[in-house]
Amino acid sequence: MSGSRVLTLAETVRQQIADDILRGVLSPGARLDEIGLAKRFNLSRTPVREALRQLTATGLVEMRPRRGVIVSLPSDSALAEMFEVMGELEASCARLAALRMSPAERIRLELVHKRSRDAVRNSDRDSYRKINFEFHDAIYRGAHNDYLSATTIGMRQRVGAFRRAQFTIPDRLAKSFQEHDAIVTAVLRADAETASELMRAHVNVVRVASRDYVHELAANSEGQAEGASG
């Protein structure tokens, strides 16, 4: 359950392709060729095929008859549904963590949170993304329910690319830290219901930020396409 677990080859490829799509490197409508991707990553086609299969669950690629795998962007409703599930799972983790975390686990959560403050002060997005992963992982493990943790981690993998992309939005680092700060306070006070409500609200903020990010990405892609055709 640890955040330090080693990613499989397929997960590594999936993350890279997902990040390329959300950075605009791969545009909607572009075809993803298994052979070309296998050469790019210096891998066999098997992990590439699995990565593309995983990506279909995020709405970032589509399998189309006679065209193969095509880059796409998720609809608002698809994003809303994914983050609704994510929010409920994380809210449950936060509620249980507030009740079940050991004193040592509460100290570790507080220390992780303090490290993220330094990342915000330095506007260090890469560090904050990594610490953000540790922060949520500490909440999952603090719930002391292996099945819930595994299910939540699986859902996090599905929405992970959107959660990483949100930090390119101006002021998102500082706002994320403030949201985390309120959650930590509730957890340390063993205020389970408040921790749950705050976590659900936090994930909903990420949903809105992700939706706005996808809208902007789609608009930029359309603008580039119009410019090229003009």
mmCIF file of all heavy atoms in Angstrom, residues 70-107:
data_model
loop_
_atom_site.group_PDB
_atom_site.id
_atom_site.type_symbol
_atom_site.label_atom_id
_atom_site.label_comp_id
_atom_site.label_asym_id
_atom_site.label_seq_id
_atom_site.Cartn_x
_atom_site.Cartn_y
_atom_site.Cartn_z
ATOM 1 N N ILE A 70 -7.002 6.113 -30.439
ATOM 2 C CA ILE A 70 -7.005 7.536 -30.757
ATOM 3 C C ILE A 70 -7.002 8.362 -29.476
ATOM 4 O O ILE A 70 -7.727 8.048 -28.517
ATOM 5 C CB ILE A 70 -8.260 7.900 -31.598
ATOM 6 C CG1 ILE A 70 -8.334 7.026 -32.850
ATOM 7 C CG2 ILE A 70 -8.246 9.378 -31.975
ATOM 8 C CD1 ILE A 70 -7.165 7.166 -33.788
ATOM 9 N N VAL A 71 -6.201 9.420 -29.460
ATOM 10 C CA VAL A 71 -6.170 10.335 -28.314
ATOM 11 C C VAL A 71 -7.510 11.061 -28.214
ATOM 12 O O VAL A 71 -8.062 11.517 -29.213
ATOM 13 C CB VAL A 71 -5.034 11.367 -28.475
ATOM 14 C CG1 VAL A 71 -5.108 12.426 -27.376
ATOM 15 C CG2 VAL A 71 -3.674 10.676 -28.441
ATOM 16 N N SER A 72 -8.037 11.151 -27.000
ATOM 17 C CA SER A 72 -9.285 11.874 -26.783
ATOM 18 C C SER A 72 -9.199 12.596 -25.441
ATOM 19 O O SER A 72 -8.203 12.493 -24.731
ATOM 20 C CB SER A 72 -10.475 10.908 -26.793
ATOM 21 O OG SER A 72 -10.371 9.995 -25.710
ATOM 22 N N LEU A 73 -10.243 13.324 -25.108
ATOM 23 C CA LEU A 73 -10.344 13.961 -23.802
ATOM 24 C C LEU A 73 -11.675 13.554 -23.181
ATOM 25 O O LEU A 73 -12.674 13.417 -23.884
ATOM 26 C CB LEU A 73 -10.276 15.489 -23.930
ATOM 27 C CG LEU A 73 -8.934 16.070 -24.378
ATOM 28 C CD1 LEU A 73 -9.050 17.574 -24.593
ATOM 29 C CD2 LEU A 73 -7.838 15.767 -23.363
ATOM 30 N N PRO A 74 -11.700 13.336 -21.878
ATOM 31 C CA PRO A 74 -12.947 12.877 -21.241
ATOM 32 C C PRO A 74 -14.015 13.964 -21.239
ATOM 33 O O PRO A 74 -13.706 15.161 -21.200
ATOM 34 C CB PRO A 74 -12.502 12.530 -19.824
ATOM 35 C CG PRO A 74 -11.325 13.415 -19.581
ATOM 36 C CD PRO A 74 -10.621 13.507 -20.904
ATOM 37 N N SER A 75 -15.263 13.544 -21.271
ATOM 38 C CA SER A 75 -16.376 14.482 -21.175
ATOM 39 C C SER A 75 -16.507 14.980 -19.742
ATOM 40 O O SER A 75 -15.946 14.394 -18.802
ATOM 41 C CB SER A 75 -17.676 13.796 -21.589
ATOM 42 O OG SER A 75 -17.986 12.748 -20.678
ATOM 43 N N ASP A 76 -17.255 16.071 -19.567
ATOM 44 C CA ASP A 76 -17.481 16.590 -18.221
ATOM 45 C C ASP A 76 -18.154 15.545 -17.339
ATOM 46 O O ASP A 76 -17.819 15.399 -16.159
ATOM 47 C CB ASP A 76 -18.363 17.842 -18.279
ATOM 48 C CG ASP A 76 -17.620 19.057 -18.816
ATOM 49 O OD1 ASP A 76 -16.411 18.951 -19.069
ATOM 50 O OD2 ASP A 76 -18.271 20.110 -18.977
ATOM 51 N N SER A 77 -19.111 14.820 -17.916
ATOM 52 C CA SER A 77 -19.841 13.823 -17.125
ATOM 53 C C SER A 77 -18.936 12.671 -16.704
ATOM 54 O O SER A 77 -19.034 12.184 -15.572
ATOM 55 C CB SER A 77 -21.040 13.297 -17.908
ATOM 56 O OG SER A 77 -20.628 12.672 -19.119
ATOM 57 N N ALA A 78 -18.031 12.251 -17.604
ATOM 58 C CA ALA A 78 -17.108 11.168 -17.262
ATOM 59 C C ALA A 78 -16.166 11.601 -16.145
ATOM 60 O O ALA A 78 -15.915 10.849 -15.194
ATOM 61 C CB ALA A 78 -16.313 10.739 -18.489
ATOM 62 N N LEU A 79 -15.640 12.826 -16.245
ATOM 63 C CA LEU A 79 -14.769 13.342 -15.185
ATOM 64 C C LEU A 79 -15.520 13.439 -13.862
ATOM 65 O O LEU A 79 -14.999 13.062 -12.808
ATOM 66 C CB LEU A 79 -14.239 14.725 -15.571
ATOM 67 C CG LEU A 79 -12.895 14.808 -16.287
ATOM 68 C CD1 LEU A 79 -12.572 16.260 -16.619
ATOM 69 C CD2 LEU A 79 -11.778 14.196 -15.468
ATOM 70 N N ALA A 80 -16.756 13.941 -13.938
ATOM 71 C CA ALA A 80 -17.545 14.100 -12.722
ATOM 72 C C ALA A 80 -17.777 12.762 -12.042
ATOM 73 O O ALA A 80 -17.679 12.648 -10.806
ATOM 74 C CB ALA A 80 -18.874 14.768 -13.050
ATOM 75 N N GLU A 81 -18.072 11.740 -12.828
ATOM 76 C CA GLU A 81 -18.327 10.421 -12.248
ATOM 77 C C GLU A 81 -17.067 9.829 -11.625
ATOM 78 O O GLU A 81 -17.115 9.256 -10.533
ATOM 79 C CB GLU A 81 -18.886 9.492 -13.323
ATOM 80 C CG GLU A 81 -20.313 9.836 -13.736
ATOM 81 C CD GLU A 81 -20.827 8.966 -14.845
ATOM 82 O OE1 GLU A 81 -20.094 8.050 -15.286
ATOM 83 O OE2 GLU A 81 -21.971 9.185 -15.288
ATOM 84 N N MET A 82 -15.934 9.965 -12.330
ATOM 85 C CA MET A 82 -14.686 9.440 -11.782
ATOM 86 C C MET A 82 -14.338 10.116 -10.457
ATOM 87 O O MET A 82 -13.991 9.456 -9.469
ATOM 88 C CB MET A 82 -13.541 9.622 -12.787
ATOM 89 C CG MET A 82 -13.560 8.656 -13.944
ATOM 90 S SD MET A 82 -12.024 8.685 -14.933
ATOM 91 C CE MET A 82 -12.203 10.254 -15.789
ATOM 92 N N PHE A 83 -14.451 11.443 -10.431
ATOM 93 C CA PHE A 83 -14.071 12.171 -9.221
ATOM 94 C C PHE A 83 -15.109 12.020 -8.110
ATOM 95 O O PHE A 83 -14.770 12.140 -6.926
ATOM 96 C CB PHE A 83 -13.814 13.648 -9.536
ATOM 97 C CG PHE A 83 -12.415 13.916 -10.019
ATOM 98 C CD1 PHE A 83 -12.135 14.040 -11.366
ATOM 99 C CD2 PHE A 83 -11.366 14.005 -9.117
ATOM 100 C CE1 PHE A 83 -10.838 14.264 -11.815
ATOM 101 C CE2 PHE A 83 -10.069 14.236 -9.540
ATOM 102 C CZ PHE A 83 -9.804 14.362 -10.898
ATOM 103 N N GLU A 84 -16.356 11.756 -8.472
ATOM 104 C CA GLU A 84 -17.346 11.478 -7.445
ATOM 105 C C GLU A 84 -16.973 10.214 -6.672
ATOM 106 O O GLU A 84 -17.025 10.179 -5.434
ATOM 107 C CB GLU A 84 -18.727 11.320 -8.077
ATOM 108 C CG GLU A 84 -19.841 11.104 -7.056
ATOM 109 C CD GLU A 84 -21.206 11.070 -7.697
ATOM 110 O OE1 GLU A 84 -21.398 10.318 -8.680
ATOM 111 O OE2 GLU A 84 -22.096 11.796 -7.224
ATOM 112 N N VAL A 85 -16.590 9.179 -7.406
ATOM 113 C CA VAL A 85 -16.150 7.940 -6.764
ATOM 114 C C VAL A 85 -14.879 8.187 -5.951
ATOM 115 O O VAL A 85 -14.754 7.738 -4.801
ATOM 116 C CB VAL A 85 -15.915 6.833 -7.814
ATOM 117 C CG1 VAL A 85 -15.310 5.588 -7.158
ATOM 118 C CG2 VAL A 85 -17.212 6.477 -8.520
ATOM 119 N N MET A 86 -13.932 8.935 -6.547
ATOM 120 C CA MET A 86 -12.688 9.244 -5.853
ATOM 121 C C MET A 86 -12.973 9.983 -4.548
ATOM 122 O O MET A 86 -12.386 9.694 -3.494
ATOM 123 C CB MET A 86 -11.804 10.103 -6.762
ATOM 124 C CG MET A 86 -10.399 10.364 -6.225
ATOM 125 S SD MET A 86 -9.248 9.013 -6.526
ATOM 126 C CE MET A 86 -9.086 8.319 -4.887
ATOM 127 N N GLY A 87 -13.891 10.942 -4.611
ATOM 128 C CA GLY A 87 -14.210 11.735 -3.434
ATOM 129 C C GLY A 87 -14.805 10.909 -2.307
ATOM 130 O O GLY A 87 -14.459 11.098 -1.130
ATOM 131 N N GLU A 88 -15.695 9.983 -2.661
ATOM 132 C CA GLU A 88 -16.312 9.148 -1.632
ATOM 133 C C GLU A 88 -15.293 8.201 -0.998
ATOM 134 O O GLU A 88 -15.309 7.968 0.215
ATOM 135 C CB GLU A 88 -17.479 8.354 -2.227
ATOM 136 C CG GLU A 88 -18.662 9.221 -2.653
ATOM 137 C CD GLU A 88 -19.183 10.088 -1.521
ATOM 138 O OE1 GLU A 88 -19.367 9.567 -0.397
ATOM 139 O OE2 GLU A 88 -19.391 11.292 -1.753
ATOM 140 N N LEU A 89 -14.409 7.646 -1.826
ATOM 141 C CA LEU A 89 -13.386 6.746 -1.298
ATOM 142 C C LEU A 89 -12.425 7.491 -0.377
ATOM 143 O O LEU A 89 -12.101 7.022 0.730
ATOM 144 C CB LEU A 89 -12.615 6.099 -2.448
ATOM 145 C CG LEU A 89 -13.364 5.052 -3.275
ATOM 146 C CD1 LEU A 89 -12.557 4.679 -4.513
ATOM 147 C CD2 LEU A 89 -13.656 3.804 -2.441
ATOM 148 N N GLU A 90 -11.965 8.653 -0.817
ATOM 149 C CA GLU A 90 -11.015 9.406 0.009
ATOM 150 C C GLU A 90 -11.682 9.944 1.272
ATOM 151 O O GLU A 90 -11.041 10.031 2.329
ATOM 152 C CB GLU A 90 -10.385 10.537 -0.807
ATOM 153 C CG GLU A 90 -9.503 10.040 -1.935
ATOM 154 C CD GLU A 90 -8.205 10.809 -2.046
ATOM 155 O OE1 GLU A 90 -7.725 11.352 -1.036
ATOM 156 O OE2 GLU A 90 -7.660 10.859 -3.162
ATOM 157 N N ALA A 91 -12.956 10.305 1.169
ATOM 158 C CA ALA A 91 -13.674 10.767 2.357
ATOM 159 C C ALA A 91 -13.757 9.651 3.390
ATOM 160 O O ALA A 91 -13.602 9.884 4.602
ATOM 161 C CB ALA A 91 -15.069 11.246 1.967
ATOM 162 N N SER A 92 -13.994 8.430 2.929
ATOM 163 C CA SER A 92 -14.040 7.279 3.838
ATOM 164 C C SER A 92 -12.679 7.047 4.487
ATOM 165 O O SER A 92 -12.584 6.770 5.687
ATOM 166 C CB SER A 92 -14.473 6.019 3.086
ATOM 167 O OG SER A 92 -15.810 6.134 2.640
ATOM 168 N N CYS A 93 -11.624 7.167 3.681
ATOM 169 C CA CYS A 93 -10.269 7.005 4.229
ATOM 170 C C CYS A 93 -9.984 8.054 5.297
ATOM 171 O O CYS A 93 -9.425 7.748 6.360
ATOM 172 C CB CYS A 93 -9.230 7.112 3.109
ATOM 173 S SG CYS A 93 -9.163 5.689 1.993
ATOM 174 N N ALA A 94 -10.355 9.301 5.015
ATOM 175 C CA ALA A 94 -10.088 10.383 5.963
ATOM 176 C C ALA A 94 -10.869 10.171 7.262
ATOM 177 O O ALA A 94 -10.345 10.394 8.368
ATOM 178 C CB ALA A 94 -10.447 11.725 5.340
ATOM 179 N N ARG A 95 -12.119 9.730 7.149
ATOM 180 C CA ARG A 95 -12.940 9.498 8.340
ATOM 181 C C ARG A 95 -12.326 8.406 9.219
ATOM 182 O O ARG A 95 -12.180 8.571 10.436
ATOM 183 C CB ARG A 95 -14.360 9.103 7.927
ATOM 184 C CG ARG A 95 -15.295 8.847 9.113
ATOM 185 C CD ARG A 95 -16.712 8.563 8.652
ATOM 186 N NE ARG A 95 -16.783 7.348 7.842
ATOM 187 C CZ ARG A 95 -16.833 6.111 8.331
ATOM 188 N NH1 ARG A 95 -16.795 5.921 9.651
ATOM 189 N NH2 ARG A 95 -16.917 5.068 7.534
ATOM 190 N N LEU A 96 -11.924 7.300 8.583
ATOM 191 C CA LEU A 96 -11.341 6.199 9.347
ATOM 192 C C LEU A 96 -9.959 6.550 9.878
ATOM 193 O O LEU A 96 -9.588 6.147 10.988
ATOM 194 C CB LEU A 96 -11.277 4.937 8.483
ATOM 195 C CG LEU A 96 -12.627 4.327 8.103
ATOM 196 C CD1 LEU A 96 -12.433 3.135 7.173
ATOM 197 C CD2 LEU A 96 -13.398 3.915 9.346
ATOM 198 N N ALA A 97 -9.189 7.295 9.090
ATOM 199 C CA ALA A 97 -7.850 7.691 9.538
ATOM 200 C C ALA A 97 -7.933 8.561 10.787
ATOM 201 O O ALA A 97 -7.118 8.429 11.711
ATOM 202 C CB ALA A 97 -7.117 8.434 8.417
ATOM 203 N N ALA A 98 -8.918 9.448 10.821
ATOM 204 C CA ALA A 98 -9.081 10.313 11.991
ATOM 205 C C ALA A 98 -9.342 9.488 13.252
ATOM 206 O O ALA A 98 -8.936 9.870 14.356
ATOM 207 C CB ALA A 98 -10.229 11.293 11.754
ATOM 208 N N LEU A 99 -9.976 8.348 13.079
ATOM 209 C CA LEU A 99 -10.308 7.488 14.217
ATOM 210 C C LEU A 99 -9.218 6.474 14.546
ATOM 211 O O LEU A 99 -9.043 6.100 15.710
ATOM 212 C CB LEU A 99 -11.615 6.731 13.927
ATOM 213 C CG LEU A 99 -12.876 7.581 13.749
ATOM 214 C CD1 LEU A 99 -14.029 6.691 13.289
ATOM 215 C CD2 LEU A 99 -13.226 8.310 15.035
ATOM 216 N N ARG A 100 -8.494 6.031 13.518
ATOM 217 C CA ARG A 100 -7.637 4.864 13.688
ATOM 218 C C ARG A 100 -6.137 5.132 13.623
ATOM 219 O O ARG A 100 -5.348 4.257 13.982
ATOM 220 C CB ARG A 100 -7.986 3.825 12.615
ATOM 221 C CG ARG A 100 -9.402 3.305 12.718
ATOM 222 C CD ARG A 100 -9.709 2.349 11.590
ATOM 223 N NE ARG A 100 -11.051 1.762 11.697
ATOM 224 C CZ ARG A 100 -11.588 0.949 10.799
ATOM 225 N NH1 ARG A 100 -10.888 0.611 9.716
ATOM 226 N NH2 ARG A 100 -12.805 0.482 10.970
ATOM 227 N N MET A 101 -5.719 6.281 13.157
ATOM 228 C CA MET A 101 -4.283 6.535 13.042
ATOM 229 C C MET A 101 -3.597 6.419 14.400
ATOM 230 O O MET A 101 -4.093 6.940 15.403
ATOM 231 C CB MET A 101 -4.027 7.932 12.471
ATOM 232 C CG MET A 101 -3.876 7.983 10.965
ATOM 233 S SD MET A 101 -3.372 9.638 10.435
ATOM 234 C CE MET A 101 -2.710 9.251 8.815
ATOM 235 N N SER A 102 -2.440 5.776 14.389
ATOM 236 C CA SER A 102 -1.638 5.694 15.613
ATOM 237 C C SER A 102 -0.967 7.051 15.848
ATOM 238 O O SER A 102 -0.883 7.879 14.935
ATOM 239 C CB SER A 102 -0.559 4.620 15.457
ATOM 240 O OG SER A 102 0.392 5.021 14.479
ATOM 241 N N PRO A 103 -0.477 7.298 17.060
ATOM 242 C CA PRO A 103 0.250 8.550 17.307
ATOM 243 C C PRO A 103 1.419 8.749 16.340
ATOM 244 O O PRO A 103 1.646 9.869 15.858
ATOM 245 C CB PRO A 103 0.735 8.390 18.748
ATOM 246 C CG PRO A 103 -0.288 7.500 19.386
ATOM 247 C CD PRO A 103 -0.666 6.526 18.308
ATOM 248 N N ALA A 104 2.139 7.674 16.034
ATOM 249 C CA ALA A 104 3.279 7.782 15.109
ATOM 250 C C ALA A 104 2.799 8.155 13.709
ATOM 251 O O ALA A 104 3.441 8.955 13.005
ATOM 252 C CB ALA A 104 4.049 6.466 15.065
ATOM 253 N N GLU A 105 1.684 7.607 13.285
ATOM 254 C CA GLU A 105 1.145 7.913 11.957
ATOM 255 C C GLU A 105 0.656 9.360 11.882
ATOM 256 O O GLU A 105 0.804 10.017 10.850
ATOM 257 C CB GLU A 105 0.002 6.961 11.618
ATOM 258 C CG GLU A 105 0.471 5.549 11.297
ATOM 259 C CD GLU A 105 -0.679 4.583 11.124
ATOM 260 O OE1 GLU A 105 -1.710 4.722 11.834
ATOM 261 O OE2 GLU A 105 -0.559 3.666 10.290
ATOM 262 N N ARG A 106 0.114 9.868 12.962
ATOM 263 C CA ARG A 106 -0.333 11.266 12.989
ATOM 264 C C ARG A 106 0.865 12.210 12.898
ATOM 265 O O ARG A 106 0.809 13.230 12.217
ATOM 266 C CB ARG A 106 -1.148 11.537 14.262
ATOM 267 C CG ARG A 106 -2.468 10.773 14.302
ATOM 268 C CD ARG A 106 -3.204 10.944 15.641
ATOM 269 N NE ARG A 106 -4.265 9.955 15.761
ATOM 270 C CZ ARG A 106 -5.503 10.094 15.292
ATOM 271 N NH1 ARG A 106 -5.837 11.220 14.682
ATOM 272 N NH2 ARG A 106 -6.392 9.141 15.448
ATOM 273 N N ILE A 107 1.944 11.843 13.568
ATOM 274 C CA ILE A 107 3.162 12.659 13.504
ATOM 275 C C ILE A 107 3.708 12.661 12.077
ATOM 276 O O ILE A 107 4.108 13.713 11.545
ATOM 277 C CB ILE A 107 4.215 12.133 14.497
ATOM 278 C CG1 ILE A 107 3.768 12.403 15.933
ATOM 279 C CG2 ILE A 107 5.580 12.773 14.228
ATOM 280 C CD1 ILE A 107 4.642 11.743 16.984
#
